[in-house]
Amino acid sequence: MVSQHGIKFAVHIITKHFGNLVAKVCECLLRRGALTLQNIVRYTELTPTQVKNSLLVLIQHNCVQAFILEEPGGFGDTLRLITQYVVLFDNILHRLRFSKFLALVSLHFDKPCLDLLEGLLQHGRLSLQQMFDRARETEGSNVTLSTVQENLHKLVTARYVERCPIPEPVLEPPSENDVAARKRAAKSKIIVEAETLEQRVVAASFPSDTLRFSVAVNPELNIDCATEHAGEKRKFDALESDIDGGATTEKIILWRANCEEFVRQLRNKACIENVRARLDDDAATVFSAMVEASGSEEKKIKVVNSAPLSVNAIYEEVIKSEKGRNMTFNHVRASLVQLSSQPRFVRVADETYSIDFKNIVELAQNDEVESVVLKRYGRTAYKIFRLLSKDGRLVETDKDLSTPLTQDRVMKISDSIFVEKKESANMLYKLWQDGYLLMERLVAGATQFLLWKVDKQKVWWHFLDEMFHGALNLSLRVAYEIDQRDEILKLREGASKEKRDRLVKVRMLMESSLMKLDDAIMLFHDF
């Protein structure tokens, strides 16, 4: 489920990149969920041709995935196949991070690889023929097919580029065992995070890793080009006929950027900087070596722990870096002890060490929310929020329920943070109103209690929605500043130079702030 400001922000991104028509189709899918072609036409009140073309654009840029849903229907046990379209919210957000993705690749690869990736980010999906044609346009006629294939091989091996997913995966209805398992979990009050339809479709559309990162490409340019046009025609015909189960005559190889790997790299980078800020450079060097050593085995974003590593394996990786060459074996051991103490960044078991990604991300999330509470509400609110975050919940007596706030209610909290009871009461009420605290009234016999607590799941969701709101406002302001600059450029140079320079500085500052805000969004949404 996507928050309201998250939907508005995603629609703004699509509007900015593809125009109002495509954005209207995207907004319909964001607000109503997966829909058939006929229902999209009905809800958007657009013509079938406009909807088909908009869907083709969104599919081309990996923002929508088509899938076939099996439903009971017809005679006997016959299943009815229905083609639907689901929007990929995460991929829409990734469009803001293309500059970050390119910066990561520039650290390890040369300009031709960077240009190839830039083409994939710009056009969404490309065949080998299209990559070759684009390279000849940008770099000249000296570019050969083998050079393009070699660059593609490098990026695919590093998992920065992958084959495109299955065009229309078949999604089976949940089995009786799955339904029974969910009912048992509900009865036993076990909290199970339900898999969303978007996640199910994405999982079904991914081929196996062997095929997904297979670098075997067709060297025959003419064949590749022919099958490409056949594939593009079939994709349009599929929309034309609503993909009623038609078979694929020829399958082409299309490539796209693997955003999952880029986000994983950004998460690792954020974790390393978190360690550096909390501990020191030596601990960050050892932690970075652990990330590198476990990188070949740990390839998922939201993994709890990395693969276990021995001290020797960690030391071998440490001395590969320039900073690590100055560290002795005992020095590395001391840093590992530091990393495994409170706050815990590394888990220890049987003389092996593994990175506790879950705990690191949670610590960073706590710091981010506490920082905002401190800046927005002041130190008293910061102390209250931090106290309730750590202690879970506090119960206070309430003798006069007709009074909105009483001194007895906040006695324990005020004593714990050493502030006046009236100030604590006002701040508790303010945080509760703004959604950062939860309050429950409890009755035990003749005594009534108020329970104050921080529900992190709800607070984090509220905080993420606020960040989407802030990102939307910043993005709209950046667009406004760009329009202002374009108008000033039409004026004479001498009369507007000072104002033009000021607008450029303002725009750069806002774009930088938007990128920093996106870092915080990734911390709560992607990591």
Side-chain angles (χ1 to χ4, degrees):
M1 187 176 67
V2 184
S3 65
Q4 289 302 310
H5 286 113
I7 292 175
K8 293 178 181 178
F9 185 44
V11 172
H12 169 73
I13 295 172
I14 296 298
T15 304
K16 180 180 176 183
H17 290 186
F18 306 116
N20 294 326
L21 199 65
V22 178
K24 189 170 185 179
V25 174
C26 182
E27 183 176 9
C28 177
L29 291 172
L30 281 167
R31 294 193 180 279
R32 296 182 178 273
L35 294 172
T36 62
L37 180 64
Q38 291 80 4
N39 283 334
I40 298 174
V41 172
R42 180 160 62 93
Y43 291 133
T44 58
E45 298 181 351
L46 299 174
T47 65
T49 302
Q50 288 174 324
V51 173
K52 292 168 190 174
N53 291 333
S54 298
L55 285 173
L56 283 172
V57 170
L58 292 169
I59 291 172
Q60 172 68 28
H61 291 274
N62 308 300
C63 297
V64 162
Q65 174 68 49
F67 67 98
I68 299 175
L69 187 64
E70 290 185 350
E71 288 188 353
F75 298 98
D77 297 331
T78 305
L79 291 175
R80 190 162 55 117
L81 301 181
I82 302 176
T83 301
Q84 296 189 9
Y85 302 88
V86 63
V87 68
L88 306 179
F89 177 73
D90 291 356
N91 286 359
I92 297 176
L93 293 185
H94 291 331
R95 300 191 63 82
L96 284 180
R97 300 158 187 165
F98 286 171
S99 60
K100 298 178 182 179
F101 297 169
L102 291 171
L104 284 174
V105 173
S106 65
L107 297 175
H108 306 287
F109 295 96
D110 54 9
K111 190 176 185 300
C113 289
L114 201 64
D115 291 340
L116 191 151
L117 177 65
E118 186 177 4
L120 289 172
L121 293 174
Q122 181 180 353
H123 299 286
R125 305 177 177 203
L126 293 176
S127 66
L128 178 62
Q129 172 70 47
Q130 291 170 321
M131 293 181 206
F132 179 64
D133 291 342
R134 187 177 182 277
R136 289 174 67 91
E137 290 177 2
T138 57
E139 301 177 34
S141 58
N142 295 329
V143 179
T144 62
L145 174 64
S146 60
T147 304
V148 176
Q149 285 180 320
E150 183 181 352
N151 293 331
L152 178 63
H153 182 280
K154 292 177 183 177
L155 292 172
V156 172
T157 303
R159 296 202 171 197
Y160 288 132
V161 171
E162 64 180 357
R163 291 195 185 197
C164 289
I166 301 169
E168 300 99 16
V170 178
L171 203 64
E172 298 179 356
S175 63
E176 296 180 359
N177 293 334
D178 294 337
V179 175
R182 290 177 186 175
K183 289 182 178 179
R184 289 195 300 269
K187 290 180 180 179
S188 59
K189 298 182 180 181
I190 299 175
I191 300 176
V192 179
E193 187 175 351
E195 190 178 29
T196 63
L197 178 62
E198 178 184 342
Q199 291 170 336
R200 290 177 60 201
V201 172
V202 170
S205 65
F206 275 142
S208 63
D209 279 5
T210 305
L211 182 61
R212 182 180 173 188
F213 300 104
S214 172
V215 293
V217 293
N218 191 348
E220 304 270 347
L221 288 183
N222 294 331
I223 294 176
D224 186 66
C225 185
T227 55
E228 174 199 338
H229 292 313
E232 290 297 328
K233 182 178 184 303
R234 180 197 171 274
K235 185 166 63 173
F236 188 84
D237 291 343
L239 284 169
E240 194 76 41
S241 61
D242 201 22
I243 317 176
D244 59 357
T248 305
T249 55
E250 281 189 276
K251 186 177 181 181
I252 64 169
I253 299 175
L254 290 176
W255 302 90
R256 70 174 187 177
N258 180 17
C259 295
E260 184 180 13
E261 175 63 21
F262 286 112
V263 173
R264 190 185 73 88
Q265 294 280 357
L266 291 172
R267 181 211 59 187
N268 292 345
K269 183 179 178 182
C271 290
I272 292 170
E273 294 306 315
N274 197 326
V275 171
R276 193 187 311 278
R278 286 178 175 271
L279 299 179
D280 52 39
D281 288 341
D282 290 341
T285 300
V286 174
F287 184 85
S288 178
M290 293 183 66
V291 171
E292 290 295 327
S294 60
S296 59
E297 298 182 23
E298 183 268 300
K299 289 296 180 183
K300 294 184 179 180
I301 301 172
K302 295 185 178 181
V303 66
V304 177
N305 299 318
S306 69
L309 298 167
S310 65
V311 181
N312 292 329
I314 296 171
Y315 182 70
E316 288 178 9
E317 191 67 36
V318 167
I319 60 178
K320 290 181 182 179
S321 63
E322 184 177 353
K323 293 182 179 179
R325 293 190 189 101
N326 298 325
M327 300 181 68
T328 64
F329 189 82
N330 290 333
H331 198 169
V332 172
R333 272 191 175 277
S335 295
L336 287 172
V337 172
Q338 190 179 12
L339 287 166
S340 58
S341 59
Q342 294 296 329
R344 188 187 68 246
F345 297 106
V346 170
R347 289 180 177 272
V348 186
D350 299 329
E351 292 297 320
T352 61
Y353 299 85
S354 59
I355 301 172
D356 191 344
F357 284 110
K358 185 174 183 293
N359 188 52
I360 297 172
V361 170
E362 288 178 353
L363 288 171
Q365 290 172 343
N366 290 336
D367 290 346
E368 191 71 30
V369 178
E370 289 173 2
S371 174
V372 170
V373 170
L374 176 62
K375 292 177 182 178
R376 185 179 297 178
Y377 301 102
R379 185 155 295 276
T380 299
Y382 167 77
K383 291 179 179 179
I384 292 173
F385 186 84
R386 188 177 176 86
L387 174 67
L388 293 174
S389 296
K390 290 184 175 182
D391 292 348
R393 52 189 180 180
L394 292 177
V395 177
E396 305 292 343
T397 59
D398 187 358
K399 296 180 180 178
D400 183 9
L401 291 177
S402 62
T403 305
L405 293 167
T406 64
Q407 293 182 352
D408 293 330
R409 176 185 306 181
V410 293
M411 188 185 336
K412 292 181 182 178
I413 297 176
S414 60
D415 289 346
S416 299
I417 61 176
F418 303 105
V419 297
E420 293 184 2
K421 298 172 184 176
K422 184 177 180 180
E423 184 181 359
S424 297
N426 292 331
M427 195 53 65
L428 277 169
Y429 185 65
K430 178 65 175 175
L431 291 172
W432 172 61
Q433 274 190 321
D434 291 350
Y436 284 89
L437 294 181
L438 293 181
M439 180 183 68
E440 297 179 9
R441 294 184 183 274
L442 304 178
V443 178
T447 308
Q448 302 184 62
F449 298 94
L450 286 173
L451 181 69
W452 297 91
K453 62 179 180 180
V454 174
D455 187 331
K456 288 191 175 182
Q457 186 175 1
K458 292 183 178 179
V459 173
W460 274 208
W461 175 262
H462 170 72
F463 187 73
L464 179 61
D465 187 54
E466 285 188 339
M467 287 192 292
F468 282 137
H469 191 188
L472 174 62
N473 290 339
L474 265 176
S475 187
L476 289 171
R477 182 60 190 272
V478 169
Y480 171 78
E481 294 295 337
I482 292 176
D483 291 340
Q484 288 288 100
R485 183 202 62 180
D486 293 342
E487 289 182 8
I488 289 179
L489 286 176
K490 297 177 183 177
L491 303 176
R492 288 185 300 176
E493 292 290 333
S496 60
K497 185 177 185 304
E498 182 178 350
K499 188 173 183 181
R500 188 169 62 250
D501 292 343
R502 184 190 66 81
L503 287 175
V504 170
K505 290 180 181 179
V506 170
R507 192 199 69 182
M508 291 180 63
L509 178 62
M510 289 185 175
E511 288 179 345
S512 176
S513 299
L514 182 60
M515 290 297 100
K516 291 180 180 178
L517 183 56
D518 180 61
D519 290 339
I521 290 174
M522 281 195 292
L523 180 64
F524 287 84
H525 182 265
D526 298 279
F527 300 166

